[in-house]
Amino acid sequence: MTRPLVSIVMPAYNAAQTIEQSVASVRAQDYEDWQLVIVDDGSTDDTVETVKKLADQDHRIHYIHQSNRGVSRARNTGIEQAEGEWIVFLDSDDTIHPRYLTKMLGTARRENADIVVCGYARTTDDGHIVFAEKHGIQSKDGCAELAARAYFPIHAALVKRSHILKAGGFDPALTTCEDWDLWLKIAGSGVTFAAVDKTLAYYRNTPRSLSKNAGQMFDDANEILRRQNGESYGPAIARYKPDSLDIARRQTWLLLWNAAIAAAQGESTESLYGKAAALAVPTPGEHWHIDALVEGLSIGGHVDTEHLTAIWPTAEPAMTALLKMIEDKTGDRGLANRIMLDLCRAFFDKGRLRTALYTNTTAFLRFSDLLHINRLPPDIDCLYVQGFIGKTFIRLPGIPVLAPPTVFSLMPVIAFELAQQIEPVSFKRRVFRKILKALTKTGRIGKPASYSLLQAVYLSRTTAPVISPDRDDQPEAAPEKTADNVWEQLFTTEDPWDYTNPYEQTKYRQTLDLLPSDKIESALELACAEGHFTVALCDRVEHLLATDISETALKRAAQRCEGKTNSQFAVLDFMNQPIDGHYDLIVCSEVLYYTDNRKQLDGIVVNIAQALKPGGYLLTAHARLLADDPSRTGFDWDHEYGADRIVDALQAHQDLRPVSTLSTELYRIDLFRKSKDGTDHVKHTTAPFGIPLPANVAASVVWGGALKTRMDAFRTETTHTIPVLMYHRIATGGPEALAPYRVSPVQFEQQLRYLRRHGFYALSPDALHPEWPDQTLQGRPVIISFDDACLDFATTAWPILQRNGFTAHMFVPTGHAGGHALWDDSYGSPAPLMGWNHMRTLAEQGVTFGSHLVTHRQATRLGSKELLEEARQSKAVLEQELEQPVTTIAPPYGAFGFREQRLFQIAGYSTIYSAGPYGLARAGRTVIPRLLVDGRHDLNTFVSGLGMDLPAPDNYDLDTTPFETVF
C-alpha cells in the first residue's frame, strides 16, 4: 500500500458535538490521496464512539487514543504516526474547503514551496462567517510577518513533515500560541513560503475555544516575544527582533485583544491589568488598537462586526475599566475617552447600531432615536446618525454640534447632510416627506417648521449661476500683444535676466575671446538689451552701433556705456526691418530662436550676411534647446529650434564660413566670416559654463535630456488625476524614528530631476476646483506639498525646487512659526521652523501656503468649537501675514473625518489635503490624497509609488555627482 501524500493531524478532546462536521470537510476533499490521524486526548464524552464509527466508514481515518496530556502532545503523537510528505493540522471543531488540498498542493508544486498558507474565516456555530482575512504570508521567507504575530490559524497552513520534525514539533510548555512558536522555528530554519489568496480554512468561533483563554493567551504570547528577544529562533528571525517600542506595542495589542475577548463574555479584565510590562499609546493615524478591540469583541461574543453593538451592554463595564487602567498606567490624560470614541466609530462604520451610544463628547444615534430624544447631553459636540431611509441604509458620520444640542436645532443640518447623500430628486422628495410626516406626528416639529426644513434641504443644493459668454459684465479682453510691447513689458523690471551672474559673465568673456585679437573698425550689436555685453564690446571695436527693439532697454544700455565715446544706440526691430549700413562685425546672440519659423530665420540670415563687409565677422551665442536634441541636456524653452539648428541655418548661407566654435553643455558660441572661399580648418573648443549656476537659469534646464518635454506633454496629454507628493524635511540628519519623514537633498534632487525629464510641472493647488467634478488637466501636473514649515525648506528644499523648475505648497502650523517642531520632541531635538519673514520672502517668490492648524494637535481630538476656532484663526493669520488667499488645509497627522471636513468648510477652506489613502488624486474633489515620500526608499521605489505607467530610472537618474558640481 502506497503512502499518502498528505496527512491531516486532528487532536480531539471531548469533541463529540463537532468532530463529525470537521471530518466531513476532510472526506469532502476533491483530492483523495490523504490520511486523517485523529488523536483522542483522553476524552470523557462520546468522542471515542463517534470516531470509531467514522473510521469504520473510511479506511483513510486512523484513530489513536492517549491519556489527557494536552493539545501539543496530542499533535506530536499525530506527527509521529503521520505517513504523508505534507501535514495539515486541523482541530476537531474547524473545517476546510472542499478544494483545500487541491489548491494548496497545486501552489506548493508551482511555487516550489515548503509551506503554503491560505486565507481563513472565523465562523459561528451555525457556519455564519464573522470575518475573513486573505493576506496570509506574502514574503518568500515569512520571517517579517511571523516575527510580528501569528498571522493565521493552524489549519490555514500546509507544511512539509520534514520541517516540522527538524523544528522539534510543538512545545508542550505552551498552552496556547504553540502554533506561532512552531511557525517561527520553521521560518527561522530557512524555508520558502507561498500564499493562496482564497478563503479555504474555517475557524469555528465557539465559547470553548482555547483562544478565548485570555490570561493564558497573553502569558504565552509574551513568552514568544521573550524568545524572539533572546534570538531563540535563529538569525533569520533575529533580524526582526523587537525593540522596546515594538514590544510595548505588541503587548498592548495582546492586552486589548485578550481583554476584549473576556469583556465580550461578561468576564472581568482585572486579571490582565498587571501583565503588560510596558504599554504603547497609539499615535495619530494608527488603527491597530481598534483592530485588536474589534477582533477581540467579535471573537469573544461570537458575532460578526455588523452586530458588535448587540454585545456592547455586556462588554462595556469591563472595557471601560480596562481603558481607564491603560490611561492611568500610561499617564496619557484623555486616552480612555479617545480609544472609546475610536471604538464607537468602528461600531458605527462596520455595523448597525442597536441602541444609542454616548462618549463624553459624541452621540451615536439611529434615525429612529431622533423621534424620541429632545435634548442631548450638554457636552455633546458631534453627532453620528445611521439608519434606513426607505430601503436605503445611510450613515451620517460626524455632524458637528456648534449650538445648544437640541434635536430640533440640528434637524436642518441633518437634512442638509442627507441631501448630500441622496441624489435622485424624486426619491429625495418622497423620503423627506416621510421624515417630515413622522416628525410632525410625534409633535416634535410643527407644519411651519416642516416647510422651512424642506426649504433648507433644497437651498443646500442650489449652485451659483454660470456666467454666460454673451453677458455684458464679462471682463474686458486683454490688449493684443505685439513684439514691441512684449519686450517693453519685460524691461519694466531692470536686469530681468540677472546678467551679472557667473553664468552670464563667463559666457560674455568666452564670446569676446572668440574675436580676432586686432581691433575691429565697425561693429553692430543686435538685441543689445541693457548693454551688459555692450560695455565690454566697446573696448574691442573702433565704432559700435548697439540696437534693440525696446527703448527702455536702450536707455539703460546708454547709461551703462556712458563715457564710451565710440558707442551709439538706436531702436531696431531687425526681424521685421532691414539692416542699414555695412559692418566688419555683427554680434547677434540669444535672440534668433524668437523667430517664428525656419523661413523667417533664413531671411534674417540673408539680411545679416548682406550687412557684413567682405571678410567681416558674425559672432553669435545661443543656448542648447531640447527642440534640437531631446536626448541631451538642454533648455526646454518653447521655441522651434535652438543653437544647433540656428548654426545649421547660418552655415547654409553660401557666404558665411565657420571659423571657430566654443561648446559647453548648455550653450555654444560660433564665429563666422563672410567669404566666398571655404576653409578646411575650424577651431573647436570645449569649455565649462560659469558656476554656480543661477536658479533662474537652471529652472529651464532638463539635465540628461527629456524623455517627454513639458510642452510636448501639455500639447498631447490630458488627465483627470494627479500625484500629490507630501514631504516634511529635506535634511540628512535627525532622529532615527523620524527617518520616513526626512528626505536627503540628493534624494530630493534625484526625484525632481526624474519628474522634470518626464515632463512633469508643478501645479498650484489653486488650479484645482472642487466644484468642477470633471475638471481636465493638461500635460503631466504634480503638486509638491510640505508639512510643518521646517526651516530647512527655506535653506535647502526651496533652492533645489527653484533650480529644477518646480514650486511648492506649504502647510503651516501658525502657532509654532519661528519656533521648533515640539510635537516631535519625544524623538530627539526638534527641528527649527520658519518664521514669518522667511515665509513672506517665499510667498513673494511663488510658494503658496495652506493651514496646518494652529497648535499642530490632532483635529479629531479637538472639540467642534475649538477646532473651528483653530481653523479660522490659522486661515486669518496666514492671509494677514502672507497677503495671499488661503483655501487649503492639511490636518496634522492626516487625522480627520466627516465632522472635521464640515468644520473646515465652515471655516472657509475649499480643499482638504490628507495623508492617505495614498494614490493619485482626482481633480474636482474636496479631499485630496497625498503620497508620503519616504526618505528610506530609493528612486526606484519613489517612481513605482507614483502610481503611473512610468519607466524605471536610468543610469543618469541614479548618478548623483552633478548635484555637487554645478550648484
Side-chain angles (χ1 to χ4, degrees):
M1 186 174 178
T2 59
R3 291 176 176 270
L5 183 61
V6 181
S7 292
I8 301 165
V9 174
M10 180 182 292
Y13 177 72
N14 290 344
Q17 294 183 357
T18 61
I19 196 168
E20 283 192 81
Q21 189 175 358
S22 298
V23 172
S25 74
V26 177
R27 298 182 67 186
Q29 294 297 301
D30 60 2
Y31 179 87
E32 299 182 350
D33 187 15
W34 53 260
Q35 168 198 37
L36 174 59
V37 179
I38 301 177
V39 181
D40 180 3
D41 191 38
S43 297
T44 58
D45 64 354
D46 296 333
T47 298
V48 176
E49 292 75 12
T50 302
V51 174
K52 286 184 176 180
K53 181 179 68 174
L54 294 170
D56 290 340
Q57 297 170 359
D58 194 324
H59 69 275
R60 293 171 297 180
I61 301 174
H62 301 271
Y63 171 75
I64 300 172
H65 180 272
Q66 68 178 29
S67 59
N68 184 249
R69 300 166 60 196
V71 67
S72 290
R73 288 189 173 89
R75 289 192 185 120
N76 287 340
T77 298
I79 294 167
E80 293 173 2
Q81 300 299 316
E83 299 175 354
E85 178 186 352
W86 296 88
I87 286 184
V88 175
F89 297 103
L90 178 64
D91 286 346
S92 57
D93 53 356
D94 297 328
T95 58
I96 53 178
H97 190 279
R99 289 186 57 77
Y100 177 98
L101 292 178
T102 299
K103 293 283 189 183
M104 299 287 270
L105 288 168
T107 299
R109 285 192 294 269
R110 187 170 59 254
E111 303 290 338
N112 194 27
D114 302 298
I115 179 169
V116 181
V117 181
C118 66
Y120 72 96
R122 288 186 180 272
T123 69
T124 58
D125 281 335
D126 58 4
H128 180 68
I129 292 179
V130 174
F131 63 84
E133 296 192 40
K134 294 183 180 179
H135 50 67
I137 299 293
Q138 301 302 324
S139 64
K140 285 295 184 182
D141 64 4
C143 293
E145 293 100 325
L146 287 169
R149 63 186 177 95
Y151 259 66
F152 50 87
I154 193 167
H155 61 302
L158 172 77
V159 60
K160 284 185 176 179
R161 180 172 180 267
S162 58
H163 291 298
I164 299 172
L165 294 174
K166 182 180 178 182
F170 293 93
D171 183 354
L174 296 169
T175 304
T176 64
C177 299
E178 72 288 343
D179 52 340
W180 186 15
D181 177 70
L182 177 64
W183 305 140
L184 283 168
K185 288 187 289 188
I186 291 175
S189 67
V191 297
T192 301
F193 279 76
V196 176
D197 192 26
K198 293 184 179 297
T199 300
L200 301 176
Y202 301 95
Y203 188 100
R204 193 191 301 247
N205 204 24
T206 64
R208 63 187 292 272
S209 299
L210 277 176
S211 61
K212 294 185 184 163
N213 186 345
Q216 187 64 55
M217 177 74 78
F218 188 85
D219 291 341
D220 289 340
N222 276 288
E223 171 60 19
I224 302 295
L225 293 179
R226 188 193 65 76
R227 294 180 184 184
Q228 281 192 56
N229 204 43
E231 301 186 10
S232 300
Y233 299 113
I237 297 295
R239 286 182 299 161
Y240 305 98
K241 183 169 69 173
D243 58 22
S244 57
L245 182 60
D246 289 330
I247 291 175
R249 187 179 289 112
R250 294 181 192 184
Q251 285 192 333
T252 307
W253 192 96
L254 289 166
L255 176 67
L256 293 172
W257 188 77
N258 284 283
I261 291 174
Q265 298 174 90
E267 299 175 2
S268 170
T269 58
E270 290 186 13
S271 62
L272 297 170
Y273 287 5
K275 289 183 177 289
L279 293 174
V281 176
T283 59
E286 290 185 335
H287 304 284
W288 54 267
H289 59 304
I290 298 305
D291 294 340
L293 290 172
V294 168
E295 185 175 326
L297 289 168
S298 177
I299 294 170
H302 24 277
V303 295
D304 57 25
T305 53
E306 184 176 334
H307 298 95
L308 281 174
T309 54
I311 64 164
W312 184 241
T314 300
E316 184 177 18
M319 289 304 305
T320 301
L322 172 77
L323 298 181
K324 182 64 170 64
M325 178 276 297
I326 293 176
E327 179 178 300
D328 292 342
K329 194 165 185 176
T330 59
D332 188 337
R333 187 177 179 184
L335 178 62
N337 187 58
R338 294 201 303 272
I339 295 178
M340 187 67 79
L341 179 58
D342 288 344
L343 183 59
C344 288
R345 284 176 182 151
F347 291 163
F348 181 87
D349 293 337
K350 295 176 182 293
R352 297 178 181 176
L353 301 177
R354 299 297 181 90
T355 184
L357 300 178
Y358 296 92
T359 68
N360 287 356
T361 59
T362 306
F364 297 84
L365 305 176
R366 300 162 296 173
F367 284 118
S368 58
D369 294 327
L370 299 174
L371 304 177
H372 308 291
I373 299 173
N374 184 32
R375 181 170 294 276
L376 298 170
D379 293 333
I380 296 297
D381 71 1
C382 185
L383 187 66
Y384 286 66
V385 187
Q386 67 166 227
F388 283 95
I389 301 294
K391 295 182 179 180
T392 305
F393 190 77
I394 294 177
R395 291 180 173 90
L396 300 181
I399 300 171
V401 179
L402 300 172
T406 64
V407 173
F408 177 78
S409 67
L410 290 171
M411 284 309 299
V413 180
I414 294 171
F416 171 88
E417 299 300 352
L418 283 168
Q420 312 309 303
Q421 295 205 23
I422 305 174
E423 287 300 331
V425 174
S426 60
F427 176 65
K428 184 165 55 177
R429 291 180 189 275
R430 187 173 70 253
V431 166
F432 279 103
R433 282 174 180 162
K434 285 184 178 181
I435 297 174
L436 294 170
K437 186 176 181 181
L439 291 171
T440 304
K441 280 184 176 180
T442 62
R444 297 297 183 191
I445 297 180
K447 215 165 200 178
S450 69
Y451 291 134
S452 65
L453 176 57
L454 269 177
Q455 185 182 27
V457 170
Y458 288 103
L459 283 177
S460 73
R461 299 299 289 172
T462 60
T463 57
V466 178
I467 298 176
S468 172
D470 56 1
R471 288 272 297 271
D472 294 335
D473 54 356
Q474 289 288 343
E476 294 183 7
E480 182 181 356
K481 289 186 176 181
T482 60
D484 54 352
N485 71 35
V486 166
W487 294 107
E488 287 295 345
Q489 289 175 23
L490 174 69
F491 286 109
T492 55
T493 302
E494 190 171 355
D495 197 7
W497 282 301
D498 183 24
Y499 300 104
T500 59
N501 63 64
Y503 171 77
E504 294 293 346
Q505 292 298 310
T506 299
K507 186 176 10 172
Y508 292 162
R509 187 169 56 254
Q510 292 169 338
T511 303
L512 290 171
D513 286 346
L514 253 63
L515 288 174
S517 57
D518 296 335
K519 206 163 194 178
I520 296 170
E521 177 64 25
S522 62
L524 169 69
E525 183 181 8
L526 301 174
C528 69
E530 294 180 333
H532 290 81
F533 179 75
T534 310
V535 68
L537 183 60
C538 284
D539 297 333
R540 302 294 301 272
V541 302
E542 295 291 345
H543 302 285
L544 172 64
L545 175 62
T547 66
D548 198 273
I549 193 173
S550 168
E551 291 185 17
T552 302
L554 280 173
K555 289 177 182 178
R556 292 181 187 143
Q559 292 172 355
R560 183 163 281 106
C561 294
E562 190 175 2
K564 302 287 185 179
T565 57
N566 62 336
S567 62
Q568 291 179 296
F569 299 87
V571 175
L572 175 64
D573 179 5
F574 75 92
M575 292 190 182
N576 298 293
Q577 297 173 343
I579 301 173
D580 295 331
H582 293 84
Y583 303 91
D584 296 301
L585 169 67
I586 295 178
V587 178
C588 182
S589 294
E590 304 288 4
V591 69
L592 291 179
Y593 12 63
Y594 293 105
T595 52
D596 294 332
N597 48 55
R598 178 61 186 264
K599 183 178 180 180
Q600 184 186 24
L601 175 61
D602 289 341
I604 292 171
V605 170
V606 170
N607 290 337
I608 291 175
Q610 289 175 347
L612 280 174
K613 295 177 181 179
Y617 292 96
L618 169 64
L619 182 61
T620 179
H622 285 86
R624 299 188 182 278
L625 267 57
L626 294 174
D628 287 346
D629 184 358
S631 67
R632 56 168 294 171
T633 297
F635 293 87
D636 64 350
W637 300 337
D638 188 25
H639 298 312
E640 187 177 337
Y641 35 73
D644 292 339
R645 289 170 64 187
I646 289 171
V647 169
D648 289 343
L650 293 169
Q651 289 177 332
H653 193 281
Q654 60 183 2
D655 291 342
L656 296 178
R657 307 299 180 194
V659 176
S660 59
T661 297
L662 182 145
S663 294
T664 76
E665 190 175 9
L666 298 181
Y667 55 84
R668 62 181 292 174
I669 306 168
D670 292 90
L671 183 67
F672 291 84
R673 192 167 192 178
K674 185 174 181 177
S675 172
K676 294 290 185 182
D677 300 323
T679 176
D680 294 331
H681 179 69
V682 179
K683 182 181 179 182
H684 292 276
T685 306
T686 301
F689 53 82
I691 55 175
L693 194 64
N696 66 308
V697 175
S700 298
V701 178
V702 182
W703 302 96
L707 290 104
K708 172 77 80 168
T709 68
R710 285 177 170 175
M711 292 310 302
D712 284 344
F714 203 83
R715 293 187 185 104
T716 61
E717 297 182 18
T718 60
T719 183
H720 295 284
T721 58
I722 178 172
V724 183
L725 307 181
M726 177 174 64
Y727 294 91
H728 291 78
R729 297 194 62 197
I730 304 301
T732 53
E736 181 60 30
L738 299 178
Y741 308 100
R742 188 173 57 251
V743 174
S744 76
V746 167
Q747 284 178 293
F748 191 47
E749 187 110 42
Q750 281 182 307
Q751 292 162 4
L752 295 184
R753 287 198 179 186
Y754 178 92
L755 293 173
R756 187 61 184 278
R757 294 186 72 209
H758 291 270
F760 285 88
Y761 66 94
L763 186 73
S764 168
D766 295 337
L768 298 180
H769 301 278
E771 66 273 19
W772 295 355
D774 297 319
Q775 183 180 2
T776 299
L777 303 170
Q778 294 295 126
R780 295 184 175 182
V782 61
I783 292 178
I784 301 173
S785 68
F786 281 78
D787 286 3
D788 300 344
C790 293
L791 182 60
D792 52 53
F793 177 83
T795 59
T796 306
W798 181 234
I800 296 174
L801 283 159
Q802 283 183 298
R803 67 186 182 226
N804 285 283
F806 289 94
T807 187
H809 191 67
M810 173 64 69
F811 293 103
V812 183
T814 54
H816 294 274
H820 290 78
L822 299 179
W823 50 90
D824 289 333
D825 61 359
S826 61
Y827 302 107
S829 179
L833 306 179
M834 292 189 291
W836 291 113
N837 286 336
H838 289 110
M839 288 184 272
R840 278 189 283 269
T841 300
L842 291 168
E844 292 171 358
Q845 295 174 351
V847 178
T848 55
F849 291 84
S851 170
H852 209 38
L853 290 180
V854 176
T855 60
H856 201 278
R857 289 180 293 171
Q858 190 173 349
T860 52
R861 296 184 179 183
L862 300 177
S864 293
K865 294 178 182 177
E866 186 179 15
L867 178 57
L868 180 60
E869 177 58 29
E870 272 217 20
R872 284 175 168 166
Q873 180 184 341
S874 176
K875 177 178 169 68
V877 170
L878 284 167
E879 291 180 337
Q880 177 182 341
E881 293 285 350
L882 304 179
E883 298 182 351
Q884 62 176 232
V886 173
T887 60
T888 62
I889 186 169
Y893 310 104
F896 75 98
F898 186 91
R899 177 195 73 132
E900 292 75 29
Q901 177 178 329
R902 282 290 181 258
L903 290 170
F904 297 150
Q905 291 172 317
I906 293 170
Y909 299 95
S910 60
T911 313
I912 303 162
Y913 284 75
S914 71
Y918 302 139
L920 292 174
R922 188 170 182 85
R925 296 292 189 270
T926 300
V927 177
I928 303 294
R930 294 187 290 168
L931 170 68
L932 171 65
V933 182
D934 192 321
R936 299 169 299 180
H937 296 163
D938 61 13
L939 186 61
N940 285 282
T941 304
F942 169 81
V943 173
S944 63
L946 293 174
M948 303 175 68
D949 185 17
L950 295 169
D954 58 25
N955 290 335
Y956 188 88
D957 295 321
L958 300 172
D959 183 8
T960 62
T961 54
F963 304 155
E964 299 174 359
T965 59
V966 176
F967 306 107

